[in-house]
Amino acid sequence: IQDFFMKGEILKPGQSLNLQLAKKIAKIYEIKISFDIEETEEEAIENPLAEIEKYFETKHKDSQNLVLRPPIVTIMGHVDHGKTTLLDYIRRTRVVEKEEGGITQSIGAYQVEINGKKITFIDTPGHEVFTEMRARGAQATDIVVLVVAADDGVMPQTIEAYNHAKSANVPIIVAINKIDKPNANVELTKQALVSKLSLIPEDWGGDTITVPISAKKGENVDTLLEMILLVAEMQEIKAIPDGPVRAITIETKLDRGYGPVANAIIKDGILHVGDYIIAGKVLGKVKALVNDKGKRIKEAGPATPVMIVGFEELPDSHSVIYSVESLNKAREITEKIREIEQRELRKKRHMKLEEILKMMEESEKKELKLIVKADTLGSVKALSGAINKLQTEEVKINIIHSAVGAISTSDVMLASASDAIILGFRVKSDTQARKMAEAEGIQIKTYTIIYKLIDDLKAALEGMLEPEE
Ligand code: GDP
């Protein structure tokens, strides 16, 4: 019941289940469930993508069907720590010069080759793509490179990025950047990794790979790339080498010449010019594929970044793209998705702190996930300390992210991906964040008096404790 609740489904005893959700939850607990025919039909009506998703799931279960694919890497870190410089350096030195007739334009990701092995980099630094895809149930990144400037150390956005990567369970490699600067201090930076992020560098006996680099001069960047390949090898990242396509969208835009395009990375299968595709409620037929060197290609396989031309309208910027066998199929599915969207918009309900606590009361696992935003570092620390003190043996409180500043869309995305509640202290949420929270059903509670916040939380938590015998 709690798991269903966390996914926004409220159940009463004796009520029938949303099968899609039931399947997902059963999978987490490794429980097999079987359906009779009636139910399978019902499921097909409820989830127009069920058949397609099942195909990819089944194929992925049998590793004989799979091949290793290059890792997809996102670069994250604090502003000005050198993310863009690093991405530019790698692209400039590693991407073979643009091919004949190619047009220079970024397609959101690029691929490089080191010792005959490929790596795909998402070309926009930061965690937006990453988190937004995750909130939609798709993993866009296999490895995160966390850039930390050696003259500045671990800063608020370093922590934020780290929390995003951690909550998604994605391996992190730390690039300690700007080592060419006279005031760079690699040792001090490593100390900050330990004290602020509990990341212990390998050479200090831990298991976090750290690479000191200069993104500006290119020093040690090759080592960083080799480390990425090493981690990728350990992860055994696999893909279906042929057949229908599943791809993640990095960005979509209205191109002057091409019309609506999606910049995407293929995750499974091979996409061909001429294939019918869907991205959420938008359908299309692939008119052209353009690679990261600006060259038109006929087909694109796993981990290939590609600009896809041929959508009827502009798809959602972070939808999953699938290829389907016919125009009819594409129509059928996208129409159903439209219908469902309309319906869900009408019945969307908000998750309230009180409701979550009430549901937890009836279940074994009692963990409350919180995101804490406050006006000053002092407030953040004081609040986190006070909130953590409320934790009991029976109820675990997990502050998955805390920082200074207004409540942003990034906080809402993290809350949505992790089923958390956002607490604000003497801060507001920006308009966009508020809108997004409404759409995603995320609760934001703001306070101006610290004891009011604590009292509220305490009262709620006390309500969920089991009565002593
Ligand atoms: P981002 O905000 O993380 O994308 O940071 P940028 O890549 O824009 O870099 C911020 C500033 O730091 C720029 O002026 C860069 O030239 C500089 N910078 C980045 N990497 C290095 C480096 O390795 N050494 C030095 N000295 N400067 C760097």
Side-chain angles (χ1 to χ4, degrees):
I1 286 177
Q2 189 198 355
D3 282 322
F4 271 92
F5 184 80
M6 288 307 200
K7 307 257 183 230
E9 187 93 353
I10 313 247
L11 292 180
K12 293 187 198 81
Q15 193 183 325
S16 64
L17 304 177
N18 170 337
L19 283 163
Q20 246 177 284
L21 271 181
K23 267 173 77 177
K24 279 189 187 156
I25 290 163
K27 213 173 132 192
I28 299 170
Y29 291 96
E30 294 178 348
I31 295 165
K32 270 200 188 126
I33 46 177
S34 54
F35 308 98
D36 64 36
I37 290 160
E38 241 176 23
E39 283 172 332
T40 314
E41 275 170 3
E42 185 194 322
E43 179 194 26
I45 295 165
E46 270 314 308
N47 179 9
L49 293 169
E51 197 186 326
I52 298 179
E53 282 172 355
K54 193 167 168 205
Y55 162 83
F56 288 103
E57 240 170 69
T58 319
K59 279 267 184 178
H60 264 276
K61 274 199 190 110
D62 184 0
S63 62
Q64 270 190 326
N65 292 325
L66 307 176
V67 294
L68 289 170
R69 68 156 168 82
I72 303 166
V73 177
T74 298
I75 297 188
M76 297 188 193
H78 194 71
V79 65
D80 280 346
H81 279 199
K83 301 179 291 291
T84 312
T85 310
L86 179 59
L87 276 164
D88 288 348
Y89 179 85
I90 298 170
R91 187 179 35 211
R92 200 175 64 241
T93 53
R94 285 291 181 169
V95 178
V96 209
E97 52 313 343
K98 101 183 152 82
E99 299 187 26
E100 185 112 27
I103 38 157
T104 37
Q105 92 180 72
S106 165
I107 60 156
Y110 62 80
Q111 203 169 54
V112 297
E113 210 173 294
I114 302 99
N115 312 328
K117 289 179 189 142
K118 290 173 175 157
I119 304 173
T120 302
F121 282 96
I122 293 185
D123 206 4
T124 39
H127 50 70
E128 286 72 23
V129 177
F130 173 84
T131 316
E132 289 198 15
M133 287 306 292
R134 200 162 79 83
R136 282 161 182 75
Q139 193 91 312
T141 295
D142 305 304
I143 297 168
V144 163
V145 171
L146 186 62
V147 174
V148 186
D151 61 344
D152 204 22
V154 171
M155 298 303 280
Q157 286 167 313
T158 320
I159 300 174
E160 185 179 332
Y162 167 76
N163 287 338
H164 277 278
K166 198 178 81 169
S167 70
N169 251 333
V170 176
I172 297 166
I173 297 174
V174 180
I176 300 176
N177 190 30
K178 307 199 185 183
I179 55 165
D180 60 293
K181 287 185 95 168
N183 55 341
N185 193 331
V186 175
E187 291 303 296
L188 205 62
T189 308
K190 284 184 181 171
Q191 270 174 32
L193 291 175
V194 177
S195 64
K196 294 192 175 158
L197 303 178
S198 304
L199 286 177
I200 305 170
E202 270 193 322
D203 48 339
W204 289 14
D207 53 13
T208 300
I209 299 177
T210 62
V211 188
I213 63 163
S214 165
K216 198 172 181 178
K217 304 238 158 92
E219 199 180 333
N220 252 349
V221 172
D222 280 356
T223 312
L224 177 65
L225 296 174
E226 278 160 23
M227 287 302 149
I228 292 171
L229 285 173
L230 191 78
V231 172
E233 229 160 78
M234 295 191 298
Q235 296 283 312
E236 292 213 332
I237 305 156
K238 291 189 169 164
I240 308 166
D242 47 25
V245 156
R246 172 163 70 169
I248 49 164
T249 314
I250 297 164
E251 60 191 11
T252 59
K253 56 185 164 198
L254 212 52
D255 184 275
R256 244 195 238 166
Y258 286 121
V261 302
N263 291 331
I265 301 175
I266 311 288
K267 289 204 84 171
D268 287 297
I270 296 181
L271 186 64
H272 306 88
V273 172
D275 284 351
Y276 292 102
I277 45 175
I278 54 171
K281 56 183 184 291
V282 176
L283 67 86
K285 182 182 184 178
V286 181
K287 276 195 217 133
L289 296 171
V290 181
N291 73 6
D292 53 348
K293 284 126 207 153
K295 196 186 177 214
R296 279 188 178 229
I297 51 176
K298 289 240 146 50
E299 55 177 47
T304 310
V306 69
M307 178 170 93
I308 303 171
V309 183
F311 287 101
E312 286 189 349
E313 322 159 25
L314 200 61
D316 260 4
S317 58
H318 295 291
S319 39
V320 181
I321 298 173
Y322 295 102
S323 67
V324 291
E325 69 264 24
S326 66
L327 182 60
N328 273 343
K329 191 89 200 165
R331 250 194 213 124
E332 186 192 316
I333 293 172
T334 47
E335 267 163 29
K336 274 187 198 149
I337 291 176
R338 264 171 220 264
E339 259 173 48
I340 290 171
E341 263 193 23
Q342 290 293 319
R343 216 186 316 148
E344 297 210 328
L345 215 60
R346 286 195 291 267
K347 71 167 194 195
K348 191 122 213 171
R349 52 167 303 143
H350 299 241
M351 266 200 261
K352 294 270 158 63
L353 173 62
E354 294 71 22
E355 289 171 328
I356 289 190
L357 291 169
K358 190 163 177 302
M359 295 309 286
M360 283 179 166
E361 209 175 323
E362 286 148 31
S363 93
E364 296 276 290
K365 270 195 306 180
K366 288 178 181 169
E367 184 185 18
L368 179 62
K369 290 185 184 160
L370 299 173
I371 292 172
V372 176
K373 296 297 288 274
D375 55 342
T376 64
L377 194 59
S379 313
V380 173
K381 282 192 175 151
L383 269 175
S384 303
I387 290 172
N388 279 327
K389 272 199 202 122
L390 297 177
Q391 178 160 285
T392 65
E393 245 170 58
E394 288 176 78
V395 189
K396 188 168 184 286
I397 296 180
N398 185 359
I399 301 178
I400 58 169
H401 176 58
S402 61
V404 176
I407 295 156
S408 65
T409 52
S410 164
D411 297 322
V412 177
M413 273 304 173
L414 182 60
S416 172
S418 319
D419 291 320
I421 282 174
I422 302 173
L423 299 180
F425 179 68
R426 293 202 184 130
V427 292
K428 292 195 169 134
S429 39
D430 60 49
T431 319
Q432 241 189 320
R434 221 169 17 241
K435 273 191 198 148
M436 188 186 274
E438 224 159 84
E440 301 274 333
I442 295 301
Q443 194 187 12
I444 299 176
K445 297 193 86 157
T446 51
Y447 298 84
T448 49
I449 305 170
I450 199 160
Y451 73 78
K452 187 88 187 68
L453 186 157
I454 296 299
D455 274 1
D456 258 20
L457 210 53
K458 208 149 110 192
L461 285 165
E462 264 160 18
M464 61 191 276
L465 294 178
E466 315 232 340
E468 304 232 344
E469 303 269 318

